[in-house]
Amino acid sequence: MNAEIISVGSELLLGQIVNTNAAYLSQELAILGVNVFHQTTVGDNDTRLTEALIQAKKRSDLIILTGGLGPTKDDLTKESVARFVGKPLVHHEQSLHNIEEFFKKRNRPMSDNNRKQALVIEGSHVLMNHFGMAPGMVVTFEGVLFVLLPGPPKEMKPMFTNELLPYITAQVGSRESITSRVLRFFDIGESQLETDLLDIIEGQTNPTIAPLASEGEVTLRLTVKHADEKEQQRLLDETEALITNRVGDYLYGYGDTSLIEQLFIQLQQKQVTIASAESLTGGKFSGMLTSFAGSSSVFRGGVVSYATDVKEKVLGVQGDIINKFGVISSQCAKEMARCAKDQYRAEIAISFTGVAGPARQEEKEPGTVFIGIAGLTKEPLSYELNLAGGREAIRDRAIKYGCFYLLNELKRWNKAE
Amino acid sequence: MNAEIISVGSELLLGQIVNTNAAYLSQELAILGVNVFHQTTVGDNDTRLTEALIQAKKRSDLIILTGGLGPTKDDLTKESVARFVGKPLVHHEQSLHNIEEFFKKRNRPMSDNNRKQALVIEGSHVLMNHFGMAPGMVVTFEGVLFVLLPGPPKEMKPMFTNELLPYITAQVGSRESITSRVLRFFDIGESQLETDLLDIIEGQTNPTIAPLASEGEVTLRLTVKHADEKEQQRLLDETEALITNRVGDYLYGYGDTSLIEQLFIQLQQKQVTIASAESLTGGKFSGMLTSFAGSSSVFRGGVVSYATDVKEKVLGVQGDIINKFGVISSQCAKEMARCAKDQYRAEIAISFTGVAGPARQEEKEPGTVFIGIAGLTKEPLSYELNLAGGREAIRDRAIKYGCFYLLNELKRWNKAE
């Protein structure tokens, strides 16, 4: 099955936004074993969009369009495709209801052009939008599948995964099916990982092993082709064992699970409560941890001790520790964690202090980071890091290392009942 | 002049990397007044690349290709274009020298396939690569300009700016130039904004007005075409005045400035210190505010009072307020802000409490949000919101509203010296 992606939107041609949708869809389709040979971007222009549809139909079985489903005058993807496949636009009750609900929840008046969003191509399979107003749709025309998805990634991604994927999988289901398993590694570089596993990677054909690096993390995607599901899993397990046998210390999770999510899962499983004391990261760690539903079961709260006197007067770090070692020190990190643990009545606590930059602090270079962990050992632990990159990169990496260290400590640790 | 961008690389079609080059080039060309009507991505495949060239030549005067200039077998952009324009590849001395230097600097042996990178299309204008090895080139064929640039942004961007731009500007120099101004709005929907401004948007031709919605914000891009720079600004000012006259209350900033950044700028300008008390947002607000260098000059710190007893025992919210009104209440929001302001010795403070979901809390629906602001008025202020969307969308919108309310209050407020 050959697929092609048509991104619609003048904002893309003006370079106002980067086309992340094409990359996301291509990656998802690759996993499905669907070839993507073309990505095309056109503006909100009927003539050029129609030309693109003519081209695409000649060479592809599946054409996915994103964008141009909005309420405004310039949004015309739906209209152009309808004309192309020779079908009228018809009113879709469930979508209109969805749009009305959307405005009710916001106590906002619904303007007429929003009704336009409830129109769908006659005879199309409608994809519900649970994160926005514009419905997606699937139309078959002369054996070619046309899929219309909204432009905003927050709406497009869940619609693809939850509404479209089951539909497409059915189309390609007859073939030898493909599954992948993604192993997530941290604190090891891509080239190091590849070197350590070179013979395995080159020797493997089923599953194939594809390394991919992103933001200081490396993932290995194992992709297996087999008709039998049990056999798929057996082959994946076999290869995973070969890999973990060598670099298992760096493996922290699977699939899309980020370090912070893995930490959240671990804290829930071990039923341990945590508090945080953040200076360098300014609340970003706790902000991320609380992004997960049910985080209140493990997260007690935390202090963002940004100003130095706040560390002492509010958090309760002993003044002589600050005077003797400074706030950018392992001693201060340990003490911050200890104080947060006690003050917030949590079983464990983590702290972040350091220099995000661009300026130096206490004669220490940007990238100097100290992480403290209290409650898992008799005395608080501390870790020193020297991270490269800009201000935000340093803060983000510090959080990732904090999660990684905490995960490793939690592995060994068992709650005393 | 109509331009078109062809991105070459199988890694793009596999979704392994996001195509930021197309966005960058489109933006640069728009500023030059060059229309980009098509962006196409094909793999490292001679047949499909040649098809793309045939298509592009029919409709564009300027065709910019990125990628496929590397040393490996699969890199074939140069070869395909050479064949297409009927010119041989010839050895380029200066480029070979550049490549040899590149290896000398790194004390690495130069492999034979790197010599391939020193080949250029005969009669082309060569663009030197000062950040990599592959030279770029410009070829004119039957009145159409073909530009070949390397794929890595680190090499492509400087080559575009320093080598290609002077060349292209000469081609389009005679025409009028284009400038844009982006107005940023919040708390008004795209369709509402468009309805309010319909006659202006439709009546305007220079500058043109293009609305764009993204994550609860709406932007208007005013794009003006004129030879004289002063006149460009006058036309932009004129149109902005027409717009703000109607919807000025919703305008919060310009260009790429986010709400939180605008707040940071305002706090710095008014030299006022702030603290935060976050329940719903769990530290995300302070995490965002501290992402800006120099945030320590305005941000004192904050408490993440996630567990209810933390609000009382650590933050100091009076127990009877919680018992009487609950933690999801305007009274609690006000008290949280007041306590944070005092405890962290800041001039003002903001608080966030509410239900992120998915579960209800205190019989209140997800999306119920209360924001408190202390220090700007005699008594703390509070705002109630009913937000739609998932857990993270609710938290993010709450933060945006918090920034928006605070910005509006700061407008009126002047620090008593």
Side-chain angles (χ1 to χ4, degrees), chain B residues 60-91:
Chain B
S60 304
D61 319 300
L62 169 64
I63 300 164
I64 300 184
L65 299 100
T66 61
L69 301 182
T72 62
K73 281 213 162 358
D74 59 344
D75 297 301
L76 45 70
T77 303
K78 212 159 47 180
E79 291 72 5
S80 298
V81 175
R83 206 172 301 112
F84 185 74
V85 303
K87 291 271 177 70
L89 290 171
V90 295
H91 178 80

mmCIF file of all heavy atoms in Angstrom, chain B residues 60-91:
data_model
loop_
_atom_site.group_PDB
_atom_site.id
_atom_site.type_symbol
_atom_site.label_atom_id
_atom_site.label_comp_id
_atom_site.label_asym_id
_atom_site.label_seq_id
_atom_site.Cartn_x
_atom_site.Cartn_y
_atom_site.Cartn_z
ATOM 1 N N SER B 60 7.059 27.045 -11.632
ATOM 2 C CA SER B 60 7.873 27.936 -10.790
ATOM 3 C C SER B 60 9.072 28.521 -11.515
ATOM 4 O O SER B 60 9.602 27.916 -12.443
ATOM 5 C CB SER B 60 8.354 27.175 -9.545
ATOM 6 O OG SER B 60 7.239 26.642 -8.849
ATOM 7 N N ASP B 61 9.492 29.723 -11.077
ATOM 8 C CA ASP B 61 10.677 30.374 -11.642
ATOM 9 C C ASP B 61 11.924 30.042 -10.838
ATOM 10 O O ASP B 61 13.043 30.154 -11.319
ATOM 11 C CB ASP B 61 10.504 31.903 -11.637
ATOM 12 C CG ASP B 61 9.111 32.316 -12.028
ATOM 13 O OD1 ASP B 61 8.696 31.979 -13.152
ATOM 14 O OD2 ASP B 61 8.425 32.935 -11.183
ATOM 15 N N LEU B 62 11.695 29.697 -9.565
ATOM 16 C CA LEU B 62 12.804 29.399 -8.664
ATOM 17 C C LEU B 62 12.510 28.088 -7.941
ATOM 18 O O LEU B 62 11.467 27.943 -7.304
ATOM 19 C CB LEU B 62 12.975 30.536 -7.644
ATOM 20 C CG LEU B 62 13.905 30.281 -6.465
ATOM 21 C CD1 LEU B 62 15.340 30.080 -6.924
ATOM 22 C CD2 LEU B 62 13.827 31.428 -5.458
ATOM 23 N N ILE B 63 13.409 27.123 -8.078
ATOM 24 C CA ILE B 63 13.235 25.818 -7.438
ATOM 25 C C ILE B 63 14.406 25.568 -6.508
ATOM 26 O O ILE B 63 15.556 25.491 -6.951
ATOM 27 C CB ILE B 63 13.136 24.699 -8.493
ATOM 28 C CG1 ILE B 63 11.930 24.950 -9.409
ATOM 29 C CG2 ILE B 63 13.027 23.338 -7.820
ATOM 30 C CD1 ILE B 63 11.959 24.154 -10.695
ATOM 31 N N ILE B 64 14.125 25.508 -5.210
ATOM 32 C CA ILE B 64 15.183 25.281 -4.233
ATOM 33 C C ILE B 64 15.105 23.850 -3.730
ATOM 34 O O ILE B 64 14.068 23.422 -3.208
ATOM 35 C CB ILE B 64 15.072 26.256 -3.036
ATOM 36 C CG1 ILE B 64 15.175 27.705 -3.523
ATOM 37 C CG2 ILE B 64 16.159 25.971 -2.016
ATOM 38 C CD1 ILE B 64 15.179 28.739 -2.420
ATOM 39 N N LEU B 65 16.184 23.094 -3.922
ATOM 40 C CA LEU B 65 16.252 21.716 -3.421
ATOM 41 C C LEU B 65 17.162 21.667 -2.207
ATOM 42 O O LEU B 65 18.217 22.314 -2.198
ATOM 43 C CB LEU B 65 16.792 20.783 -4.494
ATOM 44 C CG LEU B 65 15.993 20.672 -5.794
ATOM 45 C CD1 LEU B 65 16.607 21.517 -6.880
ATOM 46 C CD2 LEU B 65 15.915 19.218 -6.238
ATOM 47 N N THR B 66 16.768 20.952 -1.173
ATOM 48 C CA THR B 66 17.648 20.747 -0.012
ATOM 49 C C THR B 66 17.852 19.249 0.188
ATOM 50 O O THR B 66 16.929 18.461 0.013
ATOM 51 C CB THR B 66 17.051 21.332 1.279
ATOM 52 O OG1 THR B 66 15.801 20.679 1.551
ATOM 53 C CG2 THR B 66 16.801 22.826 1.154
ATOM 54 N N GLY B 67 19.078 18.890 0.569
ATOM 55 C CA GLY B 67 19.386 17.506 0.907
ATOM 56 C C GLY B 67 19.908 16.688 -0.264
ATOM 57 O O GLY B 67 19.823 17.103 -1.421
ATOM 58 N N GLY B 68 20.483 15.542 0.061
ATOM 59 C CA GLY B 68 20.978 14.625 -0.963
ATOM 60 C C GLY B 68 22.297 15.040 -1.599
ATOM 61 O O GLY B 68 22.623 14.607 -2.697
ATOM 62 N N LEU B 69 23.071 15.885 -0.897
ATOM 63 C CA LEU B 69 24.384 16.287 -1.410
ATOM 64 C C LEU B 69 25.517 15.581 -0.654
ATOM 65 O O LEU B 69 26.686 15.919 -0.803
ATOM 66 C CB LEU B 69 24.558 17.805 -1.306
ATOM 67 C CG LEU B 69 23.547 18.687 -2.045
ATOM 68 C CD1 LEU B 69 23.895 20.160 -1.876
ATOM 69 C CD2 LEU B 69 23.500 18.329 -3.524
ATOM 70 N N GLY B 70 25.159 14.605 0.168
ATOM 71 C CA GLY B 70 26.144 13.918 1.003
ATOM 72 C C GLY B 70 27.059 13.001 0.211
ATOM 73 O O GLY B 70 26.912 12.866 -1.008
ATOM 74 N N PRO B 71 28.007 12.369 0.896
ATOM 75 C CA PRO B 71 29.007 11.543 0.228
ATOM 76 C C PRO B 71 28.530 10.118 -0.085
ATOM 77 O O PRO B 71 29.154 9.416 -0.876
ATOM 78 C CB PRO B 71 30.159 11.501 1.240
ATOM 79 C CG PRO B 71 29.471 11.612 2.552
ATOM 80 C CD PRO B 71 28.239 12.469 2.335
ATOM 81 N N THR B 72 27.428 9.692 0.543
ATOM 82 C CA THR B 72 27.084 8.262 0.427
ATOM 83 C C THR B 72 26.335 7.961 -0.867
ATOM 84 O O THR B 72 25.857 8.858 -1.552
ATOM 85 C CB THR B 72 26.209 7.814 1.626
ATOM 86 O OG1 THR B 72 24.990 8.558 1.594
ATOM 87 C CG2 THR B 72 26.918 8.082 2.934
ATOM 88 N N LYS B 73 26.224 6.665 -1.137
ATOM 89 C CA LYS B 73 25.630 6.165 -2.383
ATOM 90 C C LYS B 73 24.223 6.719 -2.605
ATOM 91 O O LYS B 73 23.844 7.046 -3.732
ATOM 92 C CB LYS B 73 25.550 4.633 -2.335
ATOM 93 C CG LYS B 73 26.858 3.918 -2.633
ATOM 94 C CD LYS B 73 26.613 2.618 -3.344
ATOM 95 C CE LYS B 73 27.861 2.094 -4.033
ATOM 96 N NZ LYS B 73 29.044 3.004 -3.895
ATOM 97 N N ASP B 74 23.433 6.814 -1.506
ATOM 98 C CA ASP B 74 22.023 7.171 -1.708
ATOM 99 C C ASP B 74 21.833 8.665 -2.002
ATOM 100 O O ASP B 74 20.762 9.083 -2.418
ATOM 101 C CB ASP B 74 21.185 6.760 -0.485
ATOM 102 C CG ASP B 74 21.684 7.423 0.792
ATOM 103 O OD1 ASP B 74 22.831 7.926 0.771
ATOM 104 O OD2 ASP B 74 20.949 7.443 1.791
ATOM 105 N N ASP B 75 22.881 9.463 -1.818
ATOM 106 C CA ASP B 75 22.755 10.892 -2.127
ATOM 107 C C ASP B 75 22.881 11.116 -3.627
ATOM 108 O O ASP B 75 23.948 10.850 -4.199
ATOM 109 C CB ASP B 75 23.829 11.691 -1.383
ATOM 110 C CG ASP B 75 23.666 11.586 0.123
ATOM 111 O OD1 ASP B 75 22.595 11.964 0.620
ATOM 112 O OD2 ASP B 75 24.602 11.101 0.778
ATOM 113 N N LEU B 76 21.802 11.600 -4.262
ATOM 114 C CA LEU B 76 21.829 11.689 -5.726
ATOM 115 C C LEU B 76 21.181 12.949 -6.285
ATOM 116 O O LEU B 76 20.936 13.056 -7.486
ATOM 117 C CB LEU B 76 21.142 10.448 -6.329
ATOM 118 C CG LEU B 76 19.798 10.010 -5.710
ATOM 119 C CD1 LEU B 76 18.681 10.979 -6.016
ATOM 120 C CD2 LEU B 76 19.439 8.618 -6.189
ATOM 121 N N THR B 77 20.891 13.932 -5.428
ATOM 122 C CA THR B 77 20.238 15.163 -5.888
ATOM 123 C C THR B 77 21.033 15.813 -7.019
ATOM 124 O O THR B 77 20.494 16.134 -8.075
ATOM 125 C CB THR B 77 20.107 16.157 -4.720
ATOM 126 O OG1 THR B 77 19.379 15.536 -3.656
ATOM 127 C CG2 THR B 77 19.365 17.409 -5.153
ATOM 128 N N LYS B 78 22.359 15.957 -6.793
ATOM 129 C CA LYS B 78 23.250 16.604 -7.758
ATOM 130 C C LYS B 78 23.174 15.868 -9.093
ATOM 131 O O LYS B 78 22.998 16.484 -10.153
ATOM 132 C CB LYS B 78 24.664 16.531 -7.200
ATOM 133 C CG LYS B 78 25.539 17.656 -7.544
ATOM 134 C CD LYS B 78 26.710 17.754 -6.561
ATOM 135 C CE LYS B 78 27.407 16.425 -6.303
ATOM 136 N NZ LYS B 78 28.529 16.574 -5.348
ATOM 137 N N GLU B 79 23.266 14.551 -9.040
ATOM 138 C CA GLU B 79 23.276 13.736 -10.253
ATOM 139 C C GLU B 79 21.954 13.878 -11.017
ATOM 140 O O GLU B 79 21.944 14.062 -12.230
ATOM 141 C CB GLU B 79 23.517 12.261 -9.902
ATOM 142 C CG GLU B 79 24.930 11.951 -9.390
ATOM 143 C CD GLU B 79 25.223 12.466 -7.979
ATOM 144 O OE1 GLU B 79 24.308 12.994 -7.318
ATOM 145 O OE2 GLU B 79 26.386 12.365 -7.532
ATOM 146 N N SER B 80 20.839 13.822 -10.274
ATOM 147 C CA SER B 80 19.526 13.904 -10.925
ATOM 148 C C SER B 80 19.321 15.261 -11.591
ATOM 149 O O SER B 80 18.861 15.339 -12.731
ATOM 150 C CB SER B 80 18.409 13.665 -9.893
ATOM 151 O OG SER B 80 18.519 12.376 -9.354
ATOM 152 N N VAL B 81 19.671 16.336 -10.886
ATOM 153 C CA VAL B 81 19.483 17.679 -11.446
ATOM 154 C C VAL B 81 20.391 17.855 -12.668
ATOM 155 O O VAL B 81 19.966 18.380 -13.702
ATOM 156 C CB VAL B 81 19.764 18.770 -10.389
ATOM 157 C CG1 VAL B 81 19.692 20.158 -11.020
ATOM 158 C CG2 VAL B 81 18.781 18.663 -9.237
ATOM 159 N N ALA B 82 21.644 17.371 -12.568
ATOM 160 C CA ALA B 82 22.588 17.469 -13.687
ATOM 161 C C ALA B 82 21.988 16.810 -14.934
ATOM 162 O O ALA B 82 21.954 17.399 -16.014
ATOM 163 C CB ALA B 82 23.910 16.816 -13.321
ATOM 164 N N ARG B 83 21.451 15.614 -14.745
ATOM 165 C CA ARG B 83 20.844 14.905 -15.868
ATOM 166 C C ARG B 83 19.664 15.702 -16.410
ATOM 167 O O ARG B 83 19.490 15.850 -17.611
ATOM 168 C CB ARG B 83 20.409 13.505 -15.424
ATOM 169 C CG ARG B 83 20.355 12.475 -16.549
ATOM 170 C CD ARG B 83 20.099 11.071 -16.045
ATOM 171 N NE ARG B 83 21.126 10.617 -15.107
ATOM 172 C CZ ARG B 83 20.916 10.399 -13.797
ATOM 173 N NH1 ARG B 83 19.735 10.614 -13.269
ATOM 174 N NH2 ARG B 83 21.910 10.002 -13.035
ATOM 175 N N PHE B 84 18.873 16.253 -15.480
ATOM 176 C CA PHE B 84 17.663 16.981 -15.872
ATOM 177 C C PHE B 84 17.991 18.211 -16.720
ATOM 178 O O PHE B 84 17.313 18.489 -17.711
ATOM 179 C CB PHE B 84 16.889 17.393 -14.615
ATOM 180 C CG PHE B 84 15.569 18.054 -14.900
ATOM 181 C CD1 PHE B 84 14.476 17.311 -15.340
ATOM 182 C CD2 PHE B 84 15.402 19.418 -14.739
ATOM 183 C CE1 PHE B 84 13.254 17.905 -15.613
ATOM 184 C CE2 PHE B 84 14.182 20.028 -15.013
ATOM 185 C CZ PHE B 84 13.110 19.272 -15.438
ATOM 186 N N VAL B 85 19.051 18.921 -16.334
ATOM 187 C CA VAL B 85 19.415 20.146 -17.084
ATOM 188 C C VAL B 85 20.420 19.832 -18.196
ATOM 189 O O VAL B 85 20.893 20.730 -18.893
ATOM 190 C CB VAL B 85 19.987 21.237 -16.145
ATOM 191 C CG1 VAL B 85 18.995 21.566 -15.050
ATOM 192 C CG2 VAL B 85 21.321 20.789 -15.549
ATOM 193 N N GLY B 86 20.767 18.551 -18.340
ATOM 194 C CA GLY B 86 21.652 18.141 -19.434
ATOM 195 C C GLY B 86 23.068 18.667 -19.337
ATOM 196 O O GLY B 86 23.672 19.056 -20.329
ATOM 197 N N LYS B 87 23.586 18.708 -18.122
ATOM 198 C CA LYS B 87 24.969 19.159 -17.914
ATOM 199 C C LYS B 87 25.743 18.067 -17.170
ATOM 200 O O LYS B 87 25.171 17.360 -16.337
ATOM 201 C CB LYS B 87 24.978 20.443 -17.076
ATOM 202 C CG LYS B 87 24.423 21.680 -17.795
ATOM 203 C CD LYS B 87 25.517 22.418 -18.549
ATOM 204 C CE LYS B 87 24.955 23.598 -19.326
ATOM 205 N NZ LYS B 87 24.516 24.682 -18.406
ATOM 206 N N PRO B 88 27.031 17.910 -17.461
ATOM 207 C CA PRO B 88 27.838 16.934 -16.718
ATOM 208 C C PRO B 88 28.266 17.483 -15.347
ATOM 209 O O PRO B 88 28.158 18.687 -15.096
ATOM 210 C CB PRO B 88 29.054 16.747 -17.613
ATOM 211 C CG PRO B 88 29.215 18.077 -18.283
ATOM 212 C CD PRO B 88 27.811 18.600 -18.497
ATOM 213 N N LEU B 89 28.712 16.593 -14.471
ATOM 214 C CA LEU B 89 29.306 17.008 -13.198
ATOM 215 C C LEU B 89 30.794 17.205 -13.411
ATOM 216 O O LEU B 89 31.452 16.366 -14.034
ATOM 217 C CB LEU B 89 29.057 15.956 -12.128
ATOM 218 C CG LEU B 89 27.609 15.815 -11.637
ATOM 219 C CD1 LEU B 89 27.459 14.604 -10.740
ATOM 220 C CD2 LEU B 89 27.160 17.075 -10.917
ATOM 221 N N VAL B 90 31.313 18.323 -12.929
ATOM 222 C CA VAL B 90 32.748 18.590 -13.097
ATOM 223 C C VAL B 90 33.397 18.828 -11.738
ATOM 224 O O VAL B 90 32.739 19.230 -10.777
ATOM 225 C CB VAL B 90 32.977 19.821 -14.011
ATOM 226 C CG1 VAL B 90 32.477 19.524 -15.416
ATOM 227 C CG2 VAL B 90 32.296 21.063 -13.431
ATOM 228 N N HIS B 91 34.665 18.568 -11.696
ATOM 229 C CA HIS B 91 35.462 18.714 -10.489
ATOM 230 C C HIS B 91 35.585 20.189 -10.087
ATOM 231 O O HIS B 91 35.817 21.042 -10.934
ATOM 232 C CB HIS B 91 36.843 18.122 -10.765
ATOM 233 C CG HIS B 91 37.767 18.243 -9.629
ATOM 234 N ND1 HIS B 91 37.723 17.377 -8.563
ATOM 235 C CD2 HIS B 91 38.743 19.147 -9.378
ATOM 236 C CE1 HIS B 91 38.657 17.746 -7.705
ATOM 237 N NE2 HIS B 91 39.286 18.806 -8.162
#
